[in-house]
Amino acid sequence: LIKVFWYILIKEVMAMIKRPSYINEISKVIDVPIVKILAGVRRSGKSIMLELIKEELLDKHVPQEQMISINFEDMNYSKLTTAEALHDYLKQKIETVNGRAYIFLDEIQEVKNWEKCVNSLRVNSDADIYITGSNAKMLSGEYATLLSGRYVEFTIYPFSFSEYCEARRIENENKSINEYFMEYVKYGGLPFLATTPLDERAKTQYLKDIYASVVIK
């Protein structure tokens, strides 16, 4: 399972589509004192968007040392799934940063009362905060009261058709535009399917699993 996880991660990073339509909008609020929330369906590419934002910061000459990243799907951070524990951990990290801290929290819905932690850091720290979460838990309005007027939300969708074609070409799949289109209609634009060579049965099973997770559960 660990090998499969790293294979998926490496494949996603290697085939990182720039997605300028999102980055152009998000870059407008970099360093603006509001929380940036990236929400979307499972496996739509939210984690990769965080990596693209980091690239944007590096292009703006922000040192890597000022960036603090946590992915809550990583068991190494399993002890940080309460607002209090996460707050204490991040406060210590922020104190070691020379200048503004840029905080990236992936799959934040795994943290109980996360919005209290994020709001406290927003008020009391020199930090620019970016978080991701799945639609099912992030779009329920749970954080609307505490962060009201203090966040901006971006919904991240799977690849558009043009992004899908770009991903397939990166994978050296030199097919006609019509062939790409028929694939896109059949399988959709989930980044993993666009960047990983799988047979039809495996692709269908992957889509069934996503459907079960997103819709049925």
Side-chain angles (χ1 to χ4, degrees):
L1 287 176
I2 293 174
K3 289 183 179 179
V4 171
F5 170 79
W6 282 111
Y7 174 75
I8 292 172
L9 180 62
I10 291 168
K11 286 289 294 181
E12 287 184 343
V13 171
M14 287 178 65
M16 197 152 46
I17 306 303
K18 296 301 182 182
R19 313 200 79 175
S21 60
Y22 291 111
I23 288 298
N24 290 343
E25 291 302 310
I26 295 171
S27 65
K28 295 176 183 178
V29 292
I30 288 176
D31 289 322
V32 175
I34 52 177
V35 179
K36 292 79 173 177
I37 298 176
L38 280 60
V41 70
R42 283 181 177 274
R43 306 306 170 214
S44 61
K46 300 182 297 295
S47 299
I48 295 301
M49 284 305 306
L50 290 185
E51 296 303 317
L52 291 171
I53 295 168
K54 292 176 189 177
E55 283 191 357
E56 185 74 7
L57 290 170
L58 290 171
D59 289 343
K60 295 178 181 291
H61 307 293
V62 175
Q64 184 79 46
E65 292 74 20
Q66 290 179 230
M67 303 180 198
I68 303 168
S69 301
I70 299 176
N71 184 337
F72 290 101
E73 291 185 328
D74 185 341
M75 283 295 291
N76 287 317
Y77 300 108
S78 61
K79 295 181 180 179
L80 302 180
T81 52
T82 66
E84 294 79 8
L86 179 60
H87 183 269
D88 292 345
Y89 175 84
L90 289 174
K91 283 291 288 183
Q92 292 178 5
K93 288 288 187 179
I94 290 170
E95 288 173 1
T96 67
V97 172
N98 183 19
R100 174 166 293 164
Y102 294 83
I103 299 175
F104 300 89
L105 306 175
D106 201 3
E107 301 293 353
I108 191 68
Q109 77 276 355
E110 301 300 327
V111 179
K112 185 178 181 180
N113 296 323
W114 62 266
E115 56 269 49
K116 294 181 179 179
C117 168
V118 168
N119 193 50
S120 178
L121 294 173
R122 182 194 62 80
V123 171
N124 298 314
S125 304
D126 184 14
D128 197 17
I129 304 171
Y130 301 81
I131 64 178
T132 79
S134 64
N135 273 352
K137 297 182 180 179
M138 292 292 292
L139 299 184
S140 61
E142 294 173 356
Y143 54 80
T145 301
L146 199 58
L147 296 179
S148 180
R150 303 178 183 92
Y151 71 93
V152 59
E153 184 178 289
F154 301 91
T155 302
I156 308 301
Y157 295 99
F159 285 160
S160 66
F161 180 53
S162 63
E163 290 172 331
Y164 178 86
C165 290
E166 183 182 351
R168 298 301 281 159
R169 287 172 182 141
I170 288 174
E171 292 296 306
N172 296 317
E173 290 283 344
N174 296 314
K175 297 181 179 180
S176 70
I177 195 74
N178 289 336
E179 289 177 299
Y180 285 139
F181 182 69
M182 294 310 297
E183 288 180 355
Y184 187 74
V185 169
K186 187 172 185 178
Y187 298 115
L190 292 174
F192 178 65
L193 289 186
T195 58
T196 306
L198 299 173
D199 61 27
E200 185 170 347
R201 182 178 179 180
K203 288 182 178 180
T204 300
Q205 186 59 52
Y206 182 83
L207 289 172
K208 285 181 178 179
D209 292 343
I210 295 293
Y211 178 83
S213 178
V214 172
V215 180
I216 296 176
K217 294 181 181 180

